[in-house]
Amino acid sequence: MSLQNKSAGEGRGLYYGWVIVAVMATAGAVSMAMGSLNFGLFIKPMGDTLGIGRAWFGWAQTVRQVSSAVTSPPVGWLIDRYGSRVMLPVAAIVTASAMVALSFLDEANDAWLMVAMFAIMGLVGMSGPGALVTSVPVLKWFVRKRGRAISFMALGIPVGAMVFVPLTQMFIDWWGWERAWIILAAIGVIVIAPLAAIFVRRQPEDMGLLPDGDEMHVSEGVVEGETQRGQYVEEVSWTVREATRSPIFWSLVAMFSMVSLATSTVALHRIPDFADRGFDTTIIAWATAFDAVCAGAASFTFGILVSRVPGRLLGSLGFSFLAIASVMTIYAADDVTMFSSMAIFGLGIGGMMFLQNFIWADYFGRENVGAIRGFSMPINLILGAAGAPIAGYVYDYTGSYTEVWWVGVGLMVCSALLALITPPPKKPPLDVAEVEESPLDGG
């Protein structure tokens, strides 16, 4: 019996999953302009103009994370079921609307409104790198090539940082922080909404494709899913209930919660702190952009290496970079040290970002990865969200971030150690003996 091609992938050239990667990379790039990485550049001018204390800006960051935590379970479930084709444009429009509202703040009493607008941004789950609406779709389209796909998706972050962080500072210098918010909001909607609505699809099966662009050949009388060499086997996917019963799941939750808490004490406040120390704001802006370049470079490199080095080891290395960079941030007294601390911090963020995007699907499969991540994110985000306002209060009352940053260094070290001792969970046994003969092992 002659074999017949049952895949829609043969003869179609470029696998459509790479289109999904390109769209999500673009969305990640533009998200750098939408109150995520560039938010730190607004703290000093907004605080000086409105008389708002640093703690309020920390609360804005925190409330955004908390609101994301509240909505992440339904958002993850919706992405599993319906994809991001509608959700991503909606997220861009809602986030942009909140950014425009920030431009109308005119006094310290409006600090609560700033916090409320960041809460609205968080509700739609578009909070920069690792956002569910941009990261989960890529996980759905790849299995064997997942690390590589995440690597290319991560390139959007450094590109966006190099473009939008310096551009944000230029907009603030030229037209003031009020108009800068409006311009950046317009860019976000104009770029993200059409791309997502036109090109995004939920998963390869919806287009008659297989993950990674693989092909399945069957012949007459052979059940679909079988080949002459054996059966076609999808990776084992866990349900949310199964995953949450595994101690490995809770180990990952603890690890990401600790490092998120630690990172949030440093990431937001180091930018205005460097300005307070007398560093030139233009140099700080470029250092912040280079931070994201390093994050993208690390995430890309880790994605290539993950086929040879376990992801948890790469993540531990990333967490170690965060600890080293935070110590350098505490002692930075010149441009070289400041710039270097930002670069190494970016390497650490890249490691954390890669691990967050990769490990959930790697450990628990792709079928319910949105719901599983959606279940874990409220814990990660709520615990991690405490860092920014705590650091803000410490600064407002003591005039220094040093003490709280040292606590953060300790948590980063603990996270690095926990990553080392968190192996993949024991998966249920497969029904097929010859997994290595699966079509997924082919091109």
Side-chain angles (χ1 to χ4, degrees), residues 275-421:
D276 290 340
R277 297 187 211 179
F279 291 101
D280 184 86
T281 54
T282 301
I283 296 177
I284 295 172
W286 280 106
T288 304
F290 192 65
D291 174 303
V293 170
C294 291
S299 189
F300 181 83
T301 303
F302 286 6
I304 299 300
L305 292 176
V306 78
S307 61
R308 300 178 180 86
V309 181
R312 68 181 190 278
L313 301 185
L314 297 173
S316 180
L317 177 61
F319 298 158
S320 300
F321 283 146
L322 288 172
I324 294 168
S326 297
V327 173
M328 294 177 67
T329 299
I330 293 170
Y331 291 108
D334 55 71
D335 288 342
V336 173
T337 306
M338 183 271 288
F339 215 97
S340 299
S341 73
M342 298 285 262
I344 297 173
F345 198 88
L347 295 176
I349 290 293
M352 182 177 71
M353 183 171 64
F354 169 78
L355 193 65
Q356 181 75 273
N357 287 334
F358 176 81
I359 203 165
W360 296 105
D362 186 55
Y363 278 22
F364 300 109
R366 72 188 179 99
E367 183 177 348
N368 300 300
V369 65
I372 291 172
R373 285 192 62 188
F375 187 92
S376 68
M377 283 186 72
I379 307 168
N380 295 337
L381 293 175
I382 290 173
L383 293 178
I390 288 173
Y393 280 122
V394 169
Y395 178 85
D396 288 342
Y397 283 102
T398 69
S400 172
Y401 294 108
T402 301
E403 291 82 2
V404 73
W405 284 351
W406 274 116
V407 173
V409 171
L411 290 173
M412 292 168 184
V413 172
C414 289
S415 298
L417 295 175
L418 188 56
L420 290 175
I421 60 173

Side-chain angles (χ1 to χ4, degrees), residues 161-182:
M162 286 298 293
V163 172
F164 291 112
V165 174
L167 202 59
T168 296
Q169 188 61 54
M170 291 168 62
F171 290 162
I172 293 172
D173 292 340
W174 293 345
W175 298 303
W177 59 266
E178 298 93 335
R179 291 185 180 178
W181 278 121
I182 297 173

Side-chain angles (χ1 to χ4, degrees), residues 78-133:
L78 287 169
I79 294 172
D80 281 338
R81 298 303 180 273
Y82 304 108
S84 291
R85 188 177 187 180
V86 174
M87 294 183 66
L88 187 52
V90 169
I93 293 169
V94 171
T95 301
S97 300
M99 292 168 64
V100 171
L102 292 174
S103 68
F104 292 97
L105 302 179
D106 59 8
E107 58 181 19
N109 291 335
D110 287 343
W112 67 269
L113 181 59
M114 175 183 69
V115 173
M117 291 304 102
F118 274 83
I120 291 173
M121 293 183 200
L123 289 174
V124 293
M126 185 175 176
S127 302
L132 291 177
V133 290

